[in-house]
Amino acid sequence: MKHAITILIMLLVLKLSAQSQINVTIIGTAHSFKKEYQPLQSFNEVQSFIKELSPDMICIEAIPTYDTASLKEIWPNTMRKADQLRDTLENITSDSEQVIVGAQYYSAYDFWNAYYHWFQAKQTEDSLRYFSKYFKDQSSSEFGLMVFPAAQKLGITHLYGIDFRDGEDEFMAANNKVLKKLFFSFKWKPLRVYLKTQKQYKKAEKAGELIEFINGAAFQDSFSALIDDLPKRLPKLEEAKFVKAYWHHRNEVMAERIIQTAQANDAQNVLLTVGSAHVTHIKQFLEKEGHQVTTYGQILNIKNQ
């Protein structure tokens, strides 16, 4: 009897553990794609992959509405526009429900869900009034080229922002100081690695292989290594320590928000689209917390075998 109870408890623990584990698939992206090279890139393949994956939810690199500190730091002018729109929300009429839903999202500071619904809206004369004043063009971003079309095909109505940007101004100031210090103190190796990576990036874009390049472990890991190596390269510069600490903190917060959002929505199969430079650290944190992570780069490697 005692052994039976022990086995029952063990099975219960294993079941609860399986239920709490989240399967996260990460697609690394650029935030802008040059229009002249867009027809060459594998955007359709990414859309097809997302459709086949059929995630329970899609998390994106956008600031959630509850993070007002980040919103105020990054989007103060957009927030003012949202406040103006909110004052006229009751008077909005449109033959497209997506226009109205988008306006409601926008007025609540949920800008990328607003853009998503406006992306789906019928381009009528009535809707174009809102597009011209509030809509941020997504035709060259990862959203307009991959995320929005795929989510629309899946019938997904809401995207979940998980970004964290509070303290971004201080981070950018410290980052600029680090770059200057690296240059004037002749710390050439990290600069050479950075410049080499940028050259490879441009070459891949021209060849129509940018998605594949930025999802490769070599690109993602080299950027992470550059950040992690800064305090060793510049041991006396406090800004170098701050840049590394802030970068890790931002990625950790994003990972925590993925977990919290998935658990709150009872989602086990999650897709994350995020700037490629974030992939390595977010993956490490999620795995440390016991979750299963697969990168798009790993998927491509399996397909190419």
Side-chain angles (χ1 to χ4, degrees):
M1 182 69 178
K2 187 177 179 181
H3 291 298
I5 293 173
T6 302
I7 292 171
L8 186 63
I9 292 171
M10 288 177 65
L11 289 172
L12 182 61
V13 169
L14 288 170
K15 184 178 179 181
L16 290 172
S17 176
Q19 287 177 339
S20 62
Q21 185 187 65
I22 302 164
N23 298 311
V24 183
T25 304
I26 307 179
I27 299 178
T29 70
H31 295 313
S32 180
F33 296 86
K34 289 184 178 179
K35 288 194 174 182
E36 59 187 302
Y37 302 125
Q38 285 179 17
L40 304 175
Q41 311 306 329
S42 56
F43 300 132
N44 289 335
E45 287 84 348
V46 175
Q47 289 183 36
S48 297
F49 170 75
I50 295 173
K51 188 177 179 182
E52 289 173 16
L53 183 67
S54 189
D56 299 329
M57 62 186 297
I58 298 178
C59 293
I60 59 174
E61 191 179 339
I63 302 169
T65 56
Y66 58 78
D67 188 355
T68 52
S70 291
L71 285 167
K72 287 178 180 177
E73 182 148 355
I74 305 301
W75 303 115
N77 294 332
T78 310
M79 290 178 77
R80 281 191 284 273
K81 282 187 178 182
D83 293 338
Q84 294 168 3
L85 180 60
R86 191 183 307 112
D87 292 338
T88 62
L89 204 56
E90 292 181 358
N91 301 322
I92 292 178
T93 57
S94 174
D95 58 352
S96 172
E97 182 184 355
Q98 300 287 9
V99 169
I100 296 173
V101 173
Q104 291 169 341
Y105 269 120
Y106 194 95
S107 64
Y109 306 145
D110 197 339
F111 303 122
W112 264 259
N113 270 303
Y115 301 148
Y116 173 45
H117 284 275
W118 286 338
F119 171 86
Q120 300 175 73
K122 295 176 182 177
Q123 299 289 305
T124 63
E125 183 178 344
D126 181 49
S127 69
L128 287 172
R129 285 192 298 115
Y130 297 102
F131 277 70
S132 60
K133 187 172 182 180
Y134 302 107
F135 184 65
K136 183 177 180 181
D137 183 27
Q138 299 297 315
S139 62
S140 294
S141 76
E142 71 268 36
F143 297 107
L145 293 167
M146 293 177 284
V147 181
F148 290 172
Q152 184 177 10
K153 289 174 185 175
L154 287 168
I156 290 173
T157 59
H158 183 82
L159 307 171
Y160 294 86
I162 48 83
D163 200 4
F164 171 81
R165 304 285 290 277
D166 188 18
E168 177 94 350
D169 290 344
E170 187 179 357
F171 169 76
M172 292 305 297
N175 191 56
N176 290 335
K177 191 168 182 178
V178 166
L179 290 174
K180 289 179 182 178
K181 189 69 175 178
L182 286 170
F183 183 82
F184 289 111
S185 61
F186 304 103
K187 304 284 186 179
W188 299 118
K189 184 177 179 180
L191 290 174
R192 279 201 302 268
V193 172
Y194 175 77
L195 292 172
K196 181 182 178 181
T197 302
Q198 290 303 302
K199 186 177 180 180
Q200 292 172 332
Y201 181 101
K202 292 176 182 178
K203 183 180 178 181
E205 186 170 33
K206 290 180 180 179
E209 299 171 351
L210 186 54
I211 297 296
E212 293 75 12
F213 174 71
I214 61 179
N215 279 282
F219 173 78
Q220 293 170 354
D221 292 346
S222 66
F223 187 90
S224 300
L226 278 176
I227 294 286
D228 290 341
D229 202 37
L230 285 177
K232 297 176 185 176
R233 297 280 174 186
L234 301 168
K236 295 181 181 180
L237 190 67
E238 288 300 316
E239 284 83 356
K241 297 174 186 175
F242 175 76
V243 166
K244 177 183 176 181
Y246 181 88
W247 185 255
H248 276 267
H249 179 61
R250 182 182 173 194
N251 287 293
E252 185 173 321
V253 171
M254 285 197 283
E256 287 174 343
R257 287 178 174 178
I258 293 165
I259 296 168
Q260 292 165 1
T261 306
Q263 290 175 342
N265 290 276
D266 197 26
Q268 288 190 306
N269 183 20
V270 177
L271 172 68
L272 168 66
T273 62
V274 68
S276 291
H278 298 282
V279 173
T280 298
H281 286 132
I282 290 178
K283 181 176 184 290
Q284 288 173 351
F285 184 83
L286 288 170
E287 288 178 336
K288 187 178 73 174
E289 293 299 304
H291 302 290
Q292 180 68 41
V293 182
T294 305
T295 67
Y296 189 58
Q298 290 172 321
I299 298 295
L300 291 174
N301 287 339
I302 293 171
K303 285 184 177 180
N304 293 331
Q305 285 178 358

